[in-house]
Amino acid sequence: MDKWTDIKERLRHLGGAVKLLADGYELTLKKAHDGKKIFVIVYVNGAVEGKWTETKDEKPVYPEGRFWRPMKRAAYRKKVYAHAKRAFGKKEADRMVTPRVVGVVPTFGTEGAVVAHLKKHFPDLEIKAEEVA
């Protein structure tokens, strides 16, 4: 079994957790819920800080943000496209409704999504050995 399948297995059940080492950071992935949704949250060195969500030119400002999910949003909804096209022209209307990264968030919808993100950006990460008390 490879490390990616092992990570998915450990996160399969609610409350599942796994510790990883990537680029000198310790990542803790935990499957949790908020009463409505089930998600996987990524802690970097045991913390989640709000300032790490900032982006500049669609890239995270802080290095800890690299481990989180990029959140894409458009400035305007698609339903205003026809009006914007008449008012501003096609090129500007296309830019207005095209989604772009506006921040990064520490939650992923599924364990597969977090594994795909880490596999793409950090292929050399390691699963941290469990300490026995």
Side-chain angles (χ1 to χ4, degrees), residues 74-85 93-94 96-99:
Y76 296 91
R77 294 179 180 223
K78 284 270 190 194
K79 69 182 191 180
V80 303
Y81 180 75
H83 298 294
K85 189 174 173 182
D94 286 343
M96 291 168 66
V97 298
T98 302

Side-chain angles (χ1 to χ4, degrees), residues 4 7 10-11 17-30 40-48 52 63-68 106 108 114-115 117-119 121-130:
W4 306 112
I7 293 169
R10 292 186 190 192
L11 293 173
V18 63
K19 289 190 177 189
L20 309 170
L21 296 171
D23 285 355
Y25 292 93
E26 180 184 291
L27 306 178
T28 306
L29 281 54
K30 288 187 181 179
V40 178
I41 188 162
V42 179
Y43 294 93
V44 181
N45 292 335
V48 171
W52 296 343
E64 291 87 353
R66 298 174 301 150
F67 303 105
W68 292 355
F108 290 83
V114 71
V115 165
H117 178 78
L118 293 173
K119 195 178 201 178
H121 298 286
F122 307 98
D124 57 344
L125 66 78
E126 305 168 12
I127 297 176
K128 189 173 179 185
E130 297 295 322

Side-chain angles (χ1 to χ4, degrees), residues 53 55 68-73 99-105:
T53 62
T55 57
W68 292 355
R69 175 177 61 91
M71 181 176 59
K72 292 184 176 185
R73 294 283 188 266
R100 55 183 162 278
V101 176
V102 295
V104 289
V105 290

